[in-house]
């Protein structure tokens, strides 16, 4: 008897993605070894995205919905909240402009199937420019992300487009829908680190486009591989503020009874440091509050001092 293929529900939010979205959808549907259920939410595109996606609308395993423009954070939050809960299934995030290698989902499922309880997978990526010229891998061969909390919370590692998680994580996600806009991938990583397991794949199974229209990251040139200090500062200046404190507030609102006392204390300090001087001082001076490496730790301390954590 041939074993049944695992099911993976892919969550894709689109917005003005006409240039690359068809190629990406085809790469998702071409995944080997798994049954793909693709759920697409368009976030109010003003270009030809919807008309291009219409060629997939009659496929039984594709669901396309059109929504008003709420931004990519809330769009992905909606996709997670409305995803069908299927016992034993897996769930994956997708950007609209990448290109998945055909084994991408199966590589994640192979690693997740060995884990007990809530589990999240993330992996390396091959960073490309808009024309799919290779720029380099996002993480080096010596990269080993920590599972230690709160370091894992403050690191910000984990490329959402690589992430796959099991149904136990989806159950946690659907337990509470954030009221504030927060990064969907960082939220799922936090849930995995706090209540389950996070596994990392050093191999790249995705061609990750960085181009002028990319919503996140440093942009489309080689600075995406080795950003300078000025690149990092410019990204900080134009990027969202308070993302760590907002995430802490939402985790406390949705999951505080399930947390350990240590987790609760840490997240309360991060959530309330702007109005609580003692919490702010702990974030600056307590050695527990660090990220991996001196540079990232200094970035966290700088954000605390500027009230932008």
């Amino acid at each position: 008897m041939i074993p049944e293929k695992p099911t993976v529900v892919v969550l894709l939010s689109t917005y003005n993605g006409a240039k690359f979205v068809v190629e990406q959808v085809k790469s998702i549907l071409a995944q080997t070894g798994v049954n793909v259920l693709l759920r697409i939410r368009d976030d109010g595109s003003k270009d030809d995205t919807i008309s291009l996606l219409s060629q997939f609308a009659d496929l039984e395993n594709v669901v396309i919905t059109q929504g008003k423009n709420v931004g990519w954070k809330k769009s992905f939050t909606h996709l997670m909240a409305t995803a069908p809960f299927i016992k034993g299934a897996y769930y994956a995030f997708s950007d609209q402009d990448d290109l998945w290698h055909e084994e991408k989902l199966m590589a994640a499922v192979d690693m997740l199937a060995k884990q007990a309880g809530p589990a999240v997978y993330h992996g390396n990526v091959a960073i490309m420019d808009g024309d799919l010229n290779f720029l380099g891998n996002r993480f080096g061969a010596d990269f080993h992300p920590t599972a230690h909390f709160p370091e894992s919370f403050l690191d910000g590692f984990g490329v959402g487009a690589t992430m796959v998680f099991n149904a136990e994580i989806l159950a946690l996600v659907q337990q509470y829908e954030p009221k504030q806009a927060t990064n969907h991938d960082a939220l799922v990583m936090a849930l995995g680190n706090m209540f389950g397991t996070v596994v990392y794949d050093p191999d790249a199974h995705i061609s990750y486009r960085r181009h002028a229209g990319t919503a996140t990251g440093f942009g489309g040139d080689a600075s995406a591989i080795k950003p300078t200090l000025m690149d990092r500062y410019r990204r900080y200046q134009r990027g969202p503020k308070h993302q760590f404190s907002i995430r802490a507030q939402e985790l406390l609102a949705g999951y505080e009874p399930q947390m350990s006392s240590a987790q609760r204390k840490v997240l309360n300090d991060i959530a309330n440091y702007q109005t609580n001087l003692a919490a702010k001082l702990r974030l600056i001076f307590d050695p527990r509050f660090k990220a991996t490496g001196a540079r990232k730790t200094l970035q966290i301390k700088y954000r605390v001092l500027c009230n932008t954590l």
Side-chain angles (χ1 to χ4, degrees):
M1 183 176 178
I2 300 174
E4 185 177 348
K5 291 181 179 179
T7 294
V8 183
V9 181
V10 178
L11 308 177
L12 167 60
S13 177
T14 60
Y15 178 72
N16 290 350
K19 188 173 183 180
F20 301 119
V21 71
V22 169
E23 189 176 14
Q24 169 63 342
V25 169
K26 287 181 177 179
S27 77
I28 293 170
L29 297 177
Q31 292 294 295
T32 59
V34 298
N35 291 318
V36 170
L37 302 180
L38 176 58
R39 297 179 70 89
I40 303 172
R41 180 190 182 274
D42 184 74
D43 192 39
S45 289
K46 297 175 175 62
D47 65 357
D48 294 330
T49 298
I50 285 296
S51 61
L52 289 169
L53 289 174
S54 65
Q55 64 187 279
F56 306 105
D58 292 334
L59 297 177
E60 290 185 358
N61 62 333
V62 177
V63 176
I64 302 170
T65 58
Q66 294 177 257
K68 65 180 182 179
N69 182 243
V70 295
W72 59 270
K73 293 179 183 179
K74 289 186 176 181
S75 187
F76 272 108
T77 296
H78 180 78
L79 280 165
M80 292 191 296
T82 58
F85 180 84
I86 304 170
K87 187 175 181 180
Y90 300 90
Y91 298 80
F93 297 129
S94 172
D95 291 345
Q96 65 183 3
D97 45 10
D98 300 326
L99 192 66
W100 285 8
H101 308 169
E102 64 178 11
E103 79 290 346
K104 190 261 190 197
L105 292 178
M106 197 63 233
V109 168
D110 280 343
M111 292 184 70
L112 287 172
K114 299 171 185 176
Q115 311 304 317
V120 180
Y121 161 102
H122 68 113
N124 212 339
V125 295
I127 298 182
M128 310 289 187
D129 65 16
D131 298 317
L132 289 180
N133 295 307
F134 179 67
L135 299 176
N137 281 343
R138 172 67 179 85
F139 301 111
D142 59 346
F143 174 70
H144 300 287
T146 181
H148 185 265
F149 187 87
E151 191 174 342
S152 60
F153 183 85
L154 296 170
D155 271 348
F157 289 131
V159 178
T162 71
M163 287 174 58
V164 183
F165 49 96
N166 61 16
E168 288 89 338
I169 287 286
L170 183 71
L172 285 169
V173 169
Q174 293 187 335
Q175 176 181 314
Y176 172 75
E177 185 169 353
K179 305 300 184 290
Q180 304 174 84
T182 188
N183 293 35
H184 59 288
D185 46 2
L187 183 71
V188 166
M189 284 286 285
L191 292 173
N193 277 309
M194 292 173 67
F195 303 126
T197 305
V198 174
V199 294
Y200 168 71
D201 187 347
D203 294 326
H205 303 286
I206 172 177
S207 295
Y208 188 59
R209 278 193 177 102
R210 301 287 86 185
H211 54 89
T214 300
T216 60
F218 293 98
D221 58 23
S223 67
I225 306 299
K226 294 182 178 179
T228 65
L229 185 61
M230 185 55 67
D231 288 329
R232 296 181 187 280
Y233 182 71
R234 290 193 187 106
R235 184 176 70 163
Y236 162 76
Q237 285 291 91
R238 69 173 184 265
K241 306 300 187 288
H242 317 298
Q243 54 187 337
F244 292 95
S245 53
I246 287 173
R247 191 178 314 133
Q249 291 163 14
E250 294 297 342
L251 286 166
L252 286 164
Y255 306 95
E256 185 169 6
Q258 296 158 254
M259 294 178 187
S260 69
S261 60
Q263 291 171 341
R264 193 177 302 115
K265 289 176 182 177
V266 164
L267 290 181
N268 267 304
D269 279 351
I270 295 172
N272 299 307
Y273 78 97
Q274 293 181 71
T275 57
N276 185 317
L277 180 59
K280 189 168 191 172
L281 291 174
R282 280 192 291 272
L283 287 177
I284 295 172
F285 296 111
D286 191 323
R288 291 177 304 158
F289 293 104
K290 64 176 183 176
T292 300
R295 177 185 56 75
K296 287 191 71 68
T297 297
L298 287 173
Q299 287 177 338
I300 293 298
K301 306 296 183 182
Y302 180 79
R303 283 181 176 270
V304 173
L305 287 167
C306 296
N307 285 332
T308 59
L309 185 66

